[in-house]
């Protein structure tokens, strides 16, 4: 009697896991960050932000392991919007383009971004650190399109599941009916992107200070 009951529970658990396996879950990402120490007065210059279509529309599907959910990160749109919002907070006029064309409108500065790569490591246990890295380069050009400076970033962030998150997990990658996991993963990714943007912004302000740009 007991053996039949336990075999039934095991069977249902296996079926449940198989149903969940391969399920794609959207990870919510921030499209704007609040950075400290941004001056209230904007630089009276015009900036063109350039990001190719593949990067601007980049979607990452991450499958961290066997019997895991798939996690979907709309990384390109979130990064594009975050970068634009940061630049709009600093410059009087900011436009966006997918490529730097020979002709077209003239700008005081041009910002080229290169979202080269990323890493997501959720570990092998519920209590493992969840590591996020984004490798983004920034090239800042003057009105003649000569390079003023480059910033190569490894935006990194480490996060962990809370006790509540772990209570809803079957294994490190499969969760039962909750958005807590997606929110935690989103926070981890957002932290890495924010670190990358902050590195570039530090170099931008350093350039402005050295060259008397206000």
């Amino acid at each position: 009697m007991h053996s039949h009951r336990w075999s039934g529970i095991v069977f249902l658990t296996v079926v449940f896991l198989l149903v969940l396996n391969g399920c794609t879950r959207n990870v919510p990402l921030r499209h704007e960050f609040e950075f400290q120490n941004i001056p209230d007065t904007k630089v009276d210059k015009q900036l063109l932000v350039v990001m190719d279509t593949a990067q601007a529309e980049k979607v990452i599907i991450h499958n961290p392991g066997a019997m895991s959910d798939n996690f979907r990160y709309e990384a390109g749109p979130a990064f594009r919007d975050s970068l634009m919002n940061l630049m709009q907070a600093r410059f009087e006029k900011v436009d966006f383009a997918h490529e730097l064309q020979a002709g077209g409108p003239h700008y005081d500065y041009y910002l080229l971004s290169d979202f080269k790569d990323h890493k997501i490591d959720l570990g092998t246990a519920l209590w493992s650190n969840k590591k996020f890295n984004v490798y983004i380069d920034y090239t800042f050009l003057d009105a003649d399109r000569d390079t003023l400076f480059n910033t190569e970033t490894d935006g990194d962030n480490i996060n962990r599941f809370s006790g509540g998150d772990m209570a809803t997990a079957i294994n490190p990658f499969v969760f039962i009916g909750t958005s807590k996991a997606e929110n935690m993963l989103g926070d981890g990714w957002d932290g890495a992107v924010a670190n990358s943007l902050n590195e570039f912004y530090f170099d931008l302000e350093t350039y402005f200070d050295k060259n008397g740009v206000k």
Side-chain angles (χ1 to χ4, degrees):
M1 182 72 174
H2 290 293
S3 63
H4 288 297
R5 182 193 307 167
W6 283 111
S7 63
I9 292 173
V10 170
F11 174 76
L12 289 175
T13 301
V14 171
V15 170
F16 182 62
L17 287 172
L18 289 173
V19 170
L20 283 180
N21 186 33
C23 177
T24 299
R25 308 177 70 147
N26 289 315
V27 176
L29 302 179
R30 297 190 64 173
H31 288 241
E32 183 173 8
F33 295 93
E34 293 183 6
F35 291 98
Q36 297 179 349
N37 302 322
I38 295 182
D40 294 331
T41 304
K42 296 183 179 182
V43 173
D44 189 16
K45 302 289 184 180
Q46 298 182 352
L47 171 72
L48 179 66
V49 175
V50 181
M51 186 183 306
D52 69 37
T53 302
Q55 291 186 38
E57 299 178 358
K58 186 181 185 69
V59 174
I60 296 168
I61 305 295
H62 182 233
N63 185 289
M67 299 301 297
S68 71
D69 296 339
N70 296 316
F71 295 102
R72 184 177 186 273
Y73 299 72
E74 292 190 0
F79 172 65
R80 176 197 63 209
D81 292 348
S82 299
L83 180 58
M84 286 294 292
N85 284 322
L86 176 59
M87 292 300 95
Q88 286 167 348
R90 198 64 183 95
F91 291 86
E92 283 293 342
K93 180 181 179 182
V94 182
D95 290 332
F96 178 85
H98 287 301
E99 59 182 4
L100 189 59
Q101 298 179 340
H106 176 84
Y107 292 86
D108 299 300
Y109 298 109
Y110 300 84
L111 173 58
L112 314 182
S113 72
D114 183 11
F115 197 146
K116 297 186 300 184
D117 201 1
H118 73 279
K119 289 182 181 178
I120 302 173
D121 181 4
L122 302 185
T124 57
L126 290 174
W127 52 85
S128 298
N129 286 333
K130 317 304 176 186
K131 300 178 181 179
F132 302 81
N133 296 79
V134 293
Y135 303 96
I136 306 173
D137 292 348
Y138 307 82
T139 303
F140 197 65
L141 312 178
D142 65 12
D144 296 323
R145 304 188 179 186
D146 294 326
T147 299
L148 296 174
F149 67 86
N150 293 294
T151 303
E152 297 183 3
T153 71
D154 171 6
D156 64 302
N157 190 37
I158 297 176
N159 208 341
R160 298 187 69 178
F161 288 136
S162 67
D165 294 326
M166 287 192 283
T168 63
I170 298 172
N171 66 40
F173 317 118
V174 178
F175 301 84
I176 307 173
T178 176
S179 61
K180 288 184 178 180
E182 290 94 318
N183 290 334
M184 189 284 300
L185 296 174
D187 289 344
W189 179 271
D190 289 340
V193 172
N195 287 338
S196 172
L197 289 170
N198 197 52
E199 285 185 52
F200 162 68
Y201 182 69
F202 176 83
D203 286 351
L204 179 66
E205 289 300 327
T206 299
Y207 171 80
F208 284 165
D209 289 343
K210 288 182 176 179
N211 293 275
V213 179
K214 296 180 180 180

